[in-house]
Amino acid sequence: MASAKEYVKNVIETVKKRNPGESEFHQAALEVLESLIPVIEKHPEFQESSLLERIVEPERQIIFRVPWQDDKGRMQVNRGFRIQYNSALGPYKGGIRFHPSVYIGIIKFLGFEQVFKNSLTGLMMGGGKGGSDFDPKGKSDSEVMRFCQSFMNELYRHIGADTDVPAGDIGVGGREVGYMFGQWKKLTGLWNGVLTGKGLDFGGSLARTEATGYGCVYYTDEMLKDRKTSFDGKIVTISGSGNVAIYAHQKATQLGGKVVAMSDSNGFIYDKNGINLDTIKKLKEVERKRISEYAKEHKGAQYTEGCLGIWNVKCDVALPCATQNELDGKAAETLVKNGCAAVAEGANMPCTPEAAEIFIKNKVSFGPGKAANAGGVATSGLEMAQDSQRESWTFDEVDKKLYRIMVNIHKAGKEASEEYGTPGNLVNGSNIAGFMKVARAMMAQGLV
Ligand code: NDP
Ligand code: 2IT
């Protein structure tokens, strides 16, 4: 039998060969697989039963045409995706992303991450992801509605409350989930928790909107506790200004931090007095405007074009909450030089492998996305539970469960990092902890 190291190397080669050109997926798979070498050494049965070869291969990949009509009556077409990655632990579960950069490699990386993230939550959820290269920016409400309806006209035959439960991600929030739910209901004649992130009037959960950002801050707070400190008085930088970023700001501020910088895909704002969240919420959630507008309303604030510059802002805590590979090695070096003590990934894979390595080497507490941003999908799991019971829990009940889940995820990652020889390395620890449950379930379920 090949050594664990050789075995993992062979699986990585297969991934690259089978999925040519899908660099984001290669990146995500490589990170997880490399951290599993000590696990394979301890558990040769996983190698004997080709478990890694099976776990990197999605159970099902669906690609479909999404035709829709714009406001001028012209026919448009986009491409839709749903990857049902792994159902060992429960129904496929994961968001839908609408962004022009979406292609199969993005959905596959997100689906793969989701498998281990969902496992870490401790809830009964498999992993999946979907999306489209549709760009909601600049589209009218009716165009977005017609697109969502057309997207669902195909997707509905693949999803269900006990088979596959989509939710939001970049470009998909309450508005889009509402339109998709409406169309799904019309097509199937059913009413159940087939999507999460629904409106509060029709089966949505309190605290789901806040959950990813809040969860990321709860997780960061656990890392800070390990450093014998807290958010109180900390200067915080948060990239992005969407769902995750907004509620990370809210919770970090509640815990005594001061958020001085936020961004969108055009640039970033710096406000040394602390960014006013009401203005951000108005600009982003209601008016759907650019973050540059903030500087027009707050004279003390500065706007700078380009989003990478945000990492030059001196801070104690950095929360990248926008998109993949938005924080590179150079940015990581700057953060380290400026004394940053903790970085947690609110987004999926926002730090490049070089950046993550620099943080770990320099003893910056580093929370990887599949652990730090798991609060969103965890609360989606809580929404599924409420829908099944035909009950709604209070905000406080959901928030308390979310908090416990985040504390447990941090603990699981920390303990696994110690057990497998890299104490404090939460990347390795979270990968291992997330993997073990899926691996045990797949072994028990036979040839799956
Ligand atoms: P939103 O669409 O609400 O916000 C996305 C934010 O990121 C916007 O500020 C957007 O700027 C910025 N952004 C998007 N793409 C790029 C890009 N290519 N370059 C620079 N900035 C970009 O999405 P969410 O807040 O929901 O998602 C943010 C991240 O968090 C994603 O990585 C997502 O996968 C992850 N995540 C989300 C969860 C959720 O529950 N929503 C759960 C777990 C993770 P602009 O408006 O200019 O495009
Ligand atoms: O990346 C993610 O975990 C999400 N976008 C949330 C998925 C979900 O099903 O709530």
Side-chain angles (χ1 to χ4, degrees), residues 137-148:
K137 265 197 213 105
K139 304 289 190 300
S140 70
D141 249 13
S142 340
E143 286 175 326
V144 169
M145 180 182 73
R146 287 195 295 277
F147 178 81
C148 289

Side-chain angles (χ1 to χ4, degrees), residues 93-95 114 117 129 165 167-169 196 208 348 373 376-377 380:
K93 179 83 197 85
Q114 200 83 47
K117 183 194 302 189
K129 201 83 188 190
V165 184
D169 193 82
T196 60
R208 174 61 187 92
N348 284 305
N373 72 38
V377 74
S380 279

Side-chain angles (χ1 to χ4, degrees), residues 97 137 169 171 208 212 241-244 265 290 321-323 347-348:
R97 177 178 291 193
K137 265 197 213 105
D169 193 82
R208 174 61 187 92
T212 313
S241 46
N243 173 265
V244 181
S265 57
R290 309 314 301 159
C321 295
T323 194
N348 284 305

Side-chain angles (χ1 to χ4, degrees), residues 259-273:
V259 180
V260 296
M262 289 180 90
S263 61
D264 61 20
S265 57
N266 293 102
F268 74 95
I269 48 162
Y270 172 71
D271 190 338
K272 66 173 185 324
N273 301 318

